[in-house]
Amino acid sequence: MDKRIFWLSNMTVGYEPLDNEHKSFIEIINDAYVLLAQKNLNAFGDIFLKIDAYMERHFVHEEMIMRQIVFPDVMSHVESHQKFAVHINELKKEFLDAKKDPQKERVAAQTADFIKAWFLGHTLSRDKIYKPYLVRLNKK
Ligand SMILES: [Fe+2]
Ligand SMILES: [Fe+2]
């Protein structure tokens, strides 16, 4: 079953630089599913590096924008990013510590499903909550 997802125009938060970052996360999700289908567990380690880079770039950027537009729910949104980071770190550690391939494959599958679920639940719903506040962005 193809579990990949594709960008649709209704996924926009209304600000292109953030949309572009969200699109890059879809690529990470799809890369993860492709590597899983290929059982390419060696290359799957790079998925964690890509997620780390995404968190560094996108979370910092998005949180800065939310502060700029005085988004009232910024604290709990930041917490949601932090919770994601904690869980990803756990999965990364489990993946790196796994001695045998079936165990690595199980963690890789969990990771792919987790990042996809997080994209659907966070990026496509929580990130949308700051969308109306973005009208303040150009007024600064
Ligand atoms: Fe986001
Ligand atoms: Fe977010």
Side-chain angles (χ1 to χ4, degrees), residues 66 69-76 133 136:
M66 285 191 290
I69 59 179
V70 202
F71 175 57
D73 197 33
V74 62
M75 289 304 284
S76 78
Y133 295 86
R136 294 174 179 171

Side-chain angles (χ1 to χ4, degrees), residues 46-112:
D46 285 353
I47 294 294
F48 290 102
L49 300 179
K50 286 181 184 174
I51 298 171
D52 284 346
Y54 177 82
M55 291 193 293
E56 266 181 46
R57 186 177 74 249
H58 176 63
F59 288 179
V60 169
H61 186 201
E62 191 174 77
E63 289 166 15
M64 187 195 79
I65 296 286
M66 285 191 290
R67 288 191 175 94
Q68 252 178 40
I69 59 179
V70 202
F71 175 57
D73 197 33
V74 62
M75 289 304 284
S76 78
H77 197 123
V78 169
E79 262 173 46
S80 171
H81 289 170
Q82 286 166 348
K83 273 188 195 157
F84 175 82
V86 168
H87 193 55
I88 280 296
N89 277 330
E90 286 167 358
L91 288 164
K92 183 184 182 180
K93 191 179 180 308
E94 232 184 294
F95 181 82
L96 296 175
D97 288 350
K99 302 267 186 295
K100 292 184 175 143
D101 274 0
Q103 200 184 353
K104 264 197 189 309
E105 195 178 335
R106 183 183 51 80
V107 182
Q110 273 176 1
T111 302

